[in-house]
C-alpha cells in the first residue's frame, strides 16, 4: 500500500490536540497548561513521524491477522461489556442495556470462533 493511513491517524490526533491548545490560549489559561499540552502535541507529532518511518521501512499493511486462539476475538467485546456493567453501578442501570448485547456478542464469538474452521 502506498498510502500510509496510520500516520494520518496519529498526525490528525496531534493536530486536533493543537487546535484544543489554541482554544486554551483563547481562554487565557495558565502558562503551565500551555507547556504541558504543547508537550503532548509535540510528542504526538513525534509519534506520527515514528509511525511514518516504520510504515515506510516495513512491509505493506497486513490484510488479515492470525489470532492464536479461535475465541480470542471475544475478548474486546467482553471487556467492554464488563466495563459497562461496572459503570452501571456508578452511572445507572441503563448502561446494562448497552452491556447486554456486547456480552451476548462476546459469548457468540467465544463459542463460534472468529476464523474459518480448518479441516
Amino acid at each position: 500500500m502506498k498510502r500510509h493511513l496510520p500516520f494520518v491517524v496519529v498526525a490528525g490526533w496531534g493536530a486536533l490536540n493543537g487546535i484544543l491548545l489554541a482554544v486554551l490560549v483563547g481562554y487565557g489559561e495558565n502558562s503551565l497548561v500551555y507547556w504541558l499540552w504543547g508537550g503532548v502535541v509535540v510528542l504526538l507529532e513525534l509519534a506520527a513521524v515514528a509511525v511514518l518511518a516504520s510504515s515506510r521501512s516495513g512491509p505493506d499493511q497486513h490484510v488479515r491477522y492470525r489470532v492464536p486462539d479461535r475465541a480470542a476475538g471475544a475478548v474486546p467485546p467482553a471487556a467492554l461489556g464488563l466495563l459497562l456493567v461496572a459503570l452501571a453501578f456508578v452511572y445507572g442501570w441503563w448502561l446494562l442495556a448497552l452491556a447486554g448485547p456486547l456480552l451476548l456478542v462476546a459469548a457468540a464469538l467465544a463459542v463460534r470462533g472468529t476464523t474459518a474452521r480448518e479441516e
Side-chain angles (χ1 to χ4, degrees), residues 12-24 37 41 44-45:
W13 185 19
L16 286 176
N17 271 290
I19 292 171
L20 291 175
L21 178 62
V23 169
L24 287 176
W37 207 298
V41 171
L44 281 171
E45 296 306 328

Side-chain angles (χ1 to χ4, degrees), residues 67-74 109-118:
V67 180
D69 185 15
R70 291 177 42 84
L109 286 174
V111 170
R112 185 167 180 221
T114 57
T115 60
R117 298 198 186 273
E118 295 179 7

Side-chain angles (χ1 to χ4, degrees), residues 48-73:
V49 170
V51 167
L52 179 63
S54 171
S55 64
R56 284 193 177 181
S57 66
D60 288 340
Q61 292 180 351
H62 297 289
V63 188
R64 185 172 178 167
Y65 296 97
R66 300 196 85 170
V67 180
D69 185 15
R70 291 177 42 84

Side-chain angles (χ1 to χ4, degrees), residues 4-32:
H4 300 287
L5 294 179
F7 162 74
V8 173
V9 170
V10 179
W13 185 19
L16 286 176
N17 271 290
I19 292 171
L20 291 175
L21 178 62
V23 169
L24 287 176
V25 170
Y27 280 114
E29 282 289 332
N30 190 358
S31 65
L32 179 63

